Amino acid sequence: MTDAEALNRRLVDELTAAGALRDQWRAAFLAAPRHLFVPGVIWDDADGGVLSPRRRDEDPAAWLTTVYTNEAIVTQVDDGTTQDAGTGRRITSSISKPSIVATMLGHLEVEYGMRVLEIGAGTGWNAALLVYAVGEENVTTIEVDGDLAERARETLAGVGVSALVVTGDGADGYASGAPYDRVIATASVRAVPYQWVAQTRPGGVILTPWGNAYDNGALARLTVDGHGAAYGPFVDNTVAFMWVRAQRVPRPVVPADLAGAAESTTTLHPDAVAFDDHDATFAVGLRVPDVTTKFEDADDGGDDFTFWAFSGPSWARVDVIDGAGTHRVRQQGPRALWTEIEAAYRWWDETGRPPAGLFGLAVTPDRQYVYLGSPDSPVA
Ligand SMILES: C[S@@+](CC[C@H](N)C(=O)[O-])C[C@H]1O[C@@H](n2cnc3c(N)ncnc32)[C@H](O)[C@@H]1O
């Protein structure tokens, strides 16, 4: 057994023991080892949001250890515009964390012979795994980035797997191969492209990471009905995928000058609404459109939390001093963002703190909305 095979077997055993990898998928994970898909240059997250390249040739053993660690690996930065020697700013492609890949494939509930459309081919690893489960004539994967699509095609051919890799915008789906039994997105959406519903047969499933500017961690599992709509619950809210290109969220701009802001205080710690509890963050995000968050260590030993509306010139800053029960709030602009966030948190609290799994997503030809309990009870 080679080092790579041994490391892969250990990872597969870990994923199985953790309950992430169902028996149905074990053979696929063993047949399509991850190191055959990871490129020779990967990118490490260094300080201050800077990404630096790491080459397999420099330290093959370290590269292999990284490949068989249960973490996502950045495989492209800045849409490929940054050359190998430079540093990157934005993650634009990655090979997903193995436990998340396994969990998503479990939620997909495929059977041999089902037709599957994947959005976001990336390295081609997930497409290869799908081929082992449904058959190679049944997998189509779309990649928006031409270079990545070409590399995925070559990699799949190199390992003897023939899935159809389409270069294009996954938001359009791929009508020539429709109808599909399953659509799986490996990039996140703020709005589900309606073509995915239109190209899935009634009873078929759409599995997609879903989020908003505030919280991007949910996974929606929608079942398509016979009337052109799809409904279903959020089955996870701890995934974190990059956005599909056309739905990217701008990075927050922290205001340099806080003069003139309205001042108040709060006893609600920003951690409670934005970091500590995935269910709270998910629920608050539903009620505060287009708001992103940024957290920084402050000079005074405390923490600064900035909330920023990218749709207009509104921001809120909450300064937390360690151990203090009351925190200073400054807000400016047409939207009082901290006030909105407190109201959203109160709503979630008074509704009985429902977990994200009690919410669902409806996608109809006319609108999309989030509901609580049943599609008759829209909440956002
Ligand atoms: C997390 S990576 C996918 C990982 C991939 N499934 C794998 O196994 O390596 C997300 C991918 O989605 C692609 N992407 C982003 N927007 C897209 C779009 N509109 N259509 C198709 N692919 C898109 C990105 O270029 C990126 O390669």
Side-chain angles (χ1 to χ4, degrees):
M1 196 184 281
T2 64
D3 287 353
E5 280 167 347
L7 288 169
N8 188 30
R9 189 162 281 281
R10 195 177 70 187
L11 179 63
V12 165
D13 287 344
E14 272 171 29
L15 299 176
T16 307
L21 187 64
R22 296 189 188 177
D23 284 349
Q24 177 194 13
W25 289 99
R26 267 186 72 91
F29 271 67
L30 292 172
R34 200 180 189 216
H35 71 277
L36 298 179
F37 296 84
V38 177
V41 178
I42 57 180
W43 299 79
D44 288 328
D45 240 327
D47 285 342
V50 174
L51 295 142
S52 19
R54 181 147 63 90
R55 289 171 194 78
R56 177 177 40 205
D57 300 348
E58 287 164 4
D59 189 344
W63 179 90
L64 196 60
T65 303
T66 302
V67 166
Y68 285 107
T69 304
N70 185 25
E71 292 295 343
I73 301 171
V74 178
T75 52
Q76 189 202 55
V77 295
D78 303 332
D79 294 326
T81 56
T82 301
Q83 298 307 309
D84 290 357
T87 52
R89 300 294 301 178
R90 184 188 268 274
I91 297 170
T92 52
S93 192
S94 62
I95 186 162
S96 307
K97 185 173 176 170
S99 57
I100 303 267
V101 172
T103 300
M104 286 179 70
L105 291 173
H107 283 302
L108 207 56
E109 294 188 0
V110 294
E111 288 165 20
Y112 198 83
M114 281 187 169
R115 297 189 55 72
V116 182
L117 176 67
E118 183 196 28
I119 315 299
T123 64
W125 185 43
N126 199 50
L129 296 169
L130 284 164
V131 162
Y132 286 104
V134 299
E136 56 188 0
E137 64 286 9
N138 292 317
V139 178
T140 302
T141 180
I142 310 182
E143 174 54 57
V144 72
D145 185 290
D147 291 342
L148 293 179
E150 187 49 33
R151 184 182 175 279
R153 244 174 243 124
E154 285 167 8
T155 307
L156 287 164
V159 297
V161 169
S162 102
L164 176 61
V165 182
V166 176
T167 306
D169 185 350
D172 299 331
Y174 186 64
S176 318
Y180 300 98
D181 297 284
R182 299 287 185 263
V183 174
I184 176 172
T186 57
S188 192
V189 294
R190 291 190 268 155
V192 174
Y194 184 73
Q195 284 308 317
W196 299 357
V197 178
Q199 293 175 18
T200 303
R201 69 159 175 79
V205 167
I206 299 168
L207 185 73
T208 184
W210 182 93
N212 47 50
Y214 194 85
D215 180 45
N216 178 24
L219 182 64
R221 187 182 193 280
L222 313 177
T223 303
V224 174
D225 70 10
H227 309 285
Y231 304 88
F234 294 101
V235 290
D236 201 316
N237 66 331
T238 59
V239 303
F241 278 85
M242 67 192 63
W243 298 107
V244 294
R245 268 197 193 177
Q247 297 191 30
R248 284 176 180 163
V249 170
R251 289 159 186 261
V253 179
V254 176
D257 181 8
L258 305 185
E263 295 236 10
S264 59
T265 58
T266 183
T267 54
L268 182 60
H269 196 296
D271 272 346
V273 298
F275 295 101
D276 276 353
D277 182 334
H278 286 299
D279 291 326
T281 308
F282 172 82
V284 170
L286 297 177
R287 311 281 275 208
V288 289
D290 300 340
V291 175
T292 58
T293 58
K294 191 173 169 77
F295 159 79
E296 291 166 306
D297 292 332
D299 298 338
D300 57 14
D303 301 319
D304 289 343
F305 295 82
T306 302
F307 300 90
W308 178 71
F310 67 79
S311 50
S314 301
W315 54 263
R317 163 77 65 83
V318 182
D319 298 336
V320 171
I321 307 285
D322 275 349
T326 304
H327 319 296
R328 180 186 191 196
V329 179
R330 280 170 285 181
Q331 307 191 74
Q332 198 166 57
R335 289 175 66 185
L337 295 185
W338 181 251
T339 309
E340 281 187 34
I341 288 164
E342 279 197 327
Y345 182 80
R346 249 193 334 272
W347 163 77
W348 176 70
D349 193 33
E350 287 164 5
T351 313
R353 301 181 160 238
L358 290 185
F359 292 84
L361 182 64
V363 180
T364 75
D366 312 319
R367 66 176 185 134
Q368 301 193 11
Y369 61 90
V370 174
Y371 55 83
L372 180 56
S374 97
D376 306 335
S377 307
V379 290

